[in-house]
Amino acid sequence: MSTVRLSNVSKSFGNLRVVSDVNLEISDGEFLVLLGPSGCGKSTTLRMIAGLEETSSGDILIDEKVINDDDPKDRNIAMVFQNYALYPHMSVRKNLAFGLKMRNMKTSTIAEKVNEVADMLQLSDLMERFPAQLSGGQRQRVAMGRAMVRTPKVFLFDEPLSNLDAVLRTELRSELKKLHMQLKTTSIYVTHDQVEAMTLADRIVVMKNGKIEQIGTPKEIFHNPKTLYVAKFIGNPQMNLHEMQVKKINNSIFLTASSLSIPIPKAVINRTNTSYLKDGATISMGIRPTDIFINNAGNKKGAFKAKMILTEMLGAETLIEFGIEDLNFKAIVEDDYGISSGDLFEVGMNFEKIHIFEDTT
Amino acid sequence: MIISFPDKKKRRIYKENFLYIIMMIFGFLMLVPLIWVVLTAFKTEPEIAKLPITWLPESFLNFDNFVQMFAEQPFGRYFFNSITVAVISLISSTAIAVLAGYAFAKIEFKFKEFFFLLILSVFMIPAEVMVLPKYLMMAQIGWVNSYLGLAFPDLFTAFGVYLFRQFMSGIPDTYIDAARIDGASEIKILWHVILPLIKPALAAFIIIKFMFSWNQFLWPLVIGQKQDMFTVTVGLVAFSGQWYNQWNLIAAATVLSIIPMLLIFVLLQKHLVQGLVMSGTKG
Amino acid sequence: MLKFLWISFWGKSVKQRRSRMGYLFLLPSLFFVTLHFIIPTIYNIVLSFSEWHIIRPLEFVGFEKYIDVLTSDEFWEALSRTLYFTLLSVPITITSALIVALALYRIGPRKGSALVRAMYFAPVVASLTAVAYIWTWMFNPAYGLLNEILKFFYLAPIQWLNDINQVIPSLSIMYIWSRLGFDMLILMSGLTAISPDYYEAARIDGANRWHSFWNITLPLLNQQLVLVCVVEIMMALKVFELPYAATNGGPVNASRTLVMHIYETAFQWNRMDEAAVASLALFVIILIVTALQHFFLSRKIHY
Amino acid sequence: MMKHLLIALKFSVIAILFSVVSASAGTTLKVWLPVDTWKKTLGFYEENLAEFKKLHPDVEMEFVQIPYENYEAKYLTAFASGSDAPDVFNGKVAYYAGAIGIADEAPSDLQKLYNDELLNTTKPFFQVDGKWHAYPTSTDQGMMVYYNVDHFKEAGLDPNKPPKTFQELLDFAKKLTTYDADGKITRNGLALRYAGAPVGITDKILPFLHAFGGRLYSPDGSTADGYLNGPETTAAMQYMYDLVYTHKVSSLELGKPVETFAAGKASMIFREGWLEGWMAGNAPDINYKVSALPDGPAGYPGLSLLFGWSWMVNNQSPNKDIAWDWIRTISNKEMDLELAQLEGYLPVWAENFEHPFVADRKDAEATQVIMSNPSGPYYDHPYINEIASKIGEQVQAVLYGADPTKALQIAVKNVNKLLKKK
């Protein structure tokens, strides 16, 4: 039963403000992911929650109790580090037991708990090995075990999968997810990998320059990015973004760039802040590559003339890059219909899925 | 660079072998004075004064010089004193230097740079410069002729702070972070996490420090007045009389004075090299 | 309750507590810095302005002792002798240590290389007093090994320590022999730390061995070289055991070094005041030398 | 490893505490002696404590041997520290009573006793301003000639006719010196002290100086100019220089005089009476005789000494009176004789010189000559130790080939500086 709350938390190193006015609430059992590029303040935020860094201002609360001035050891948290930080001179068993030993637990209790966790993570055969004798995945699991063994109120993860190769990463990612479903411990997870964030998180916090850009479930973040930054950051390949002019004709709104003109459906206007949809204003229009399709089925709606630039076969799908007028777009399509570069063809867009942002690229 | 030239490679190996032999020869020459004194320690007085000089002693079982040496001076006591002083100062200086090294390497506090420079300056100024005032200080608190007095200048070694700081700076911070989260206090982190990781530096420090304490001369000469507070080095010098040098006995005493250090070196030399190398890599 | 006391004593925030822990860890060191360095320095300065008497309190006499010392031939002679010894010993020690280190590094790890390294290091374990006796016997004009070797090559025997002009070079030989191994080890540690990539890169760039040495080895060895220079110059400037045990400053004072002068003035002639002045002189000299070294040698060094 | 370190730490703490505790108990009288040639003296006193124990049953005695090498430094550091200084110590009176002022004046009963009973010739060595400050350890009769009988025979000299004059000394030395094929000396005709503490060197050249009529400094102690560099002293120096360089009868390469004499590598040396005891123990095979010093151009040099060894009481000691009590108990002619016999040197009580032990010694004849002649000059300047050291340095320079006149000029400059310090 643990909640974590950050209230107006800021952190500066000298004149450099790395985290500013972060407000965040993590409910019990939630898996929260802090997402952002390196240097965005996500790690610092995590380290402040851990007590490894101290806040410059604001409060951090666990279970509604301010813990700003508690030592890490008194916060009852556990942390998994990017490089695992397994003590190189201790065996797996000792690494797992260290946290308990530091809390002066009885030897028999320690052994019991360590074995329990080892079973759960299939580490039992590795107990007498030293970190240097383990593979990356095994090390990662020991690091997990070391965090779990103390049954803390909160798990903190600092990019725990980034040192692994792609296959292992995917595998451990789902393992992690299962573990969380099993343990239901409040977890805060820092990563720069949006896929990790999407797959693991109950909610994602996208950070930029020490500030929170958007908080939301993976779906919200993906489908309804609040800022241009979030839109750019989430989704692979990146959302197509272009500067366009707002044109109001009667009651309809169009976005135009050179001779291209896109009508905006009501649904989009409704979920967009209308204050910047003024006639003649410059905005950013975004559409995800998956919301563009090749107009081959005779569906003329929203069809544009396009010129193919490049097609890249991805397997089940194909990534195409094409130009409409002088704007370049990317799309993920199921079939490229044999269109090769230089060919002219028609594309359609799902206008409902268009995003409009006030700031420009 | 993937193409290899077998001739060139062979020539390089020849060159290296040649160099190896040269270095062996010079290395042996470095040992000659030591060998010579060991041989002398087994010779009788007339043998020593024989011309032309003889290399080998008549008998390697001639331990008379060692026996007589112990009869003339309480060398056993000198050894005990030297070891006691070396151990006291080793424990004290290691503990103090590890603490300070950790603080400098891993803890943030104000005036850190200043304090570090201060300690470095102690490292730069030789103890000999401070012998008089230190002696007078010892005299005032009555530590003359005592083990504490003998060990006093060695209780702290600035070099150790420098060495440990260099070494600890190379230990990733995450080990410490992890230990902090695991619930260890700073002292426990130092004991359970840092100390095992700096073993090579510890070994290097122990050798250098022990050597330094064991070989101290001016200070024990000044502070240990009575014969029963002499260290081996002072005893060795006291042994060579003013007007009559018994070279066979001096040689025996010299040989014995080197043996403890030699043992420590042989036991720990691998670590010494490793320790120095590892602290060298961290700028 | 306990926790409250802990926090109120150590400060409220984690950072405060941690930085106080830093000070706490530093405390023993600072205690000894005070005891070994600050108080003695002050004491020394006080002593240098006083008339010392063995059983009476100190009496302020201004610069009298400075004048006494700085106008005495003995002080200047001892000083110049010490500098001569240092200039003779240190460059040779460091150069030969560097050569040995490079050669041993070149040989690389192989069977017996640890033994060869140990051969060079072995003399280091002997105390300087032991070194003095070992070499007094080597240098003995009649029974010593060195003259015997000279004789073997039909060379004229040398008086070594018995000769006014040869005594300092002879002491230098002892010193170089006993210090070479230590410097070699330090330099080797530096060499080992240089990544072979640099040499590869240089070779691809067309640098020969000599270029590599000047442009890669020496600059990257800078830290170790500075350390070795600092330590050796200090050791040489304070040399005491060697002349004390081997020659007792003789013949005719030709090997009486500055520290020996300080020792005798203080403890044999009971003039602590004048000895304090001489000690301060040594202090200042070492400060100057160290400062010069920092200025010239350590460009990229960060402690 | 950490566990072992901890255990070691515990033990050392306990050991330190123990030594602190055990150090503080009762009155202890500390007696220090620099051990050079007297190896049995302390043991002798330790065994003869009965009388002292009657006076002070509770006082513990602590006899400490201070190695001769730099004993002065040990003394000074002890006196300066105060806490661990000796109550009774053995040393040179002029220095410790005069320059340092640490030696106590003897109580009046001892003043009288010593005046009445001790040998007259050496009195000034133990007095300051006519007052006794010490009880002599032995009677030092200054230098005598030790000569190797076998060498004399070998060189065709009569072993019963030692050199009578410095000219003869040189002639004999020429005959006694042996050389190798290269002309290098293999045996010293007359071995000279050329190394070691400069004080000792000066001590050994005094007979040369006095035989030529020279002096270290003026009788009133005001200047060395005209004395140390006077024609007589210069001539004495020149004589020594010639021994090494002109006549080549003395080599600086064979070793220290006693070493060479004991090894049969020197035919004649100058040394004090105690050497007889030492030779018996260390070089019993050397067949030698002892004679009085020869006459120089200025006649017989007389007793030529810088200092004599003696027991003094530390005037800073809280146990001064007990210390004098101990000295009182050892100041008797029986113990004097017994100790002299034990160590093989001359007693200090005038009466003991009648004893057959003295008469049977090899140096008996020489002793008679010394005692029947007036003493040579005595130097009582408080800084005599350092003065002698400065002179010794220059003597050494001469023996190493410096010009005697120039060397003595430097010596005068250095000595005058010290003479001014009173």
Side-chain angles (χ1 to χ4, degrees), chain A residues 81-84 136-137 140 159-165 168-169:
Chain A
F81 293 86
Q82 182 173 8
N83 60 2
Y84 320 131
Q140 211 279 334
E159 310 218 15
L161 301 178
S162 63
N163 278 5
L164 300 170
D165 62 59
L168 208 51
R169 202 182 309 169

Side-chain angles (χ1 to χ4, degrees), chain A residues 1 28-29 116-117 120-121 144-145 147-149 151-153 155 157 175-187:
Chain A
M1 292 291 115
D28 180 45
E116 198 179 303
V117 168
M120 204 196 290
L121 293 171
M144 284 290 305
M148 281 162 54
V149 77
T151 49
K153 284 184 182 171
F155 277 140
F157 298 92
E175 243 178 79
L176 199 61
K177 180 97 189 167
K178 278 180 221 152
L179 270 175
H180 180 251
M181 290 187 333
Q182 194 181 337
L183 297 170
K184 296 244 181 312
T185 309
T186 313
S187 302

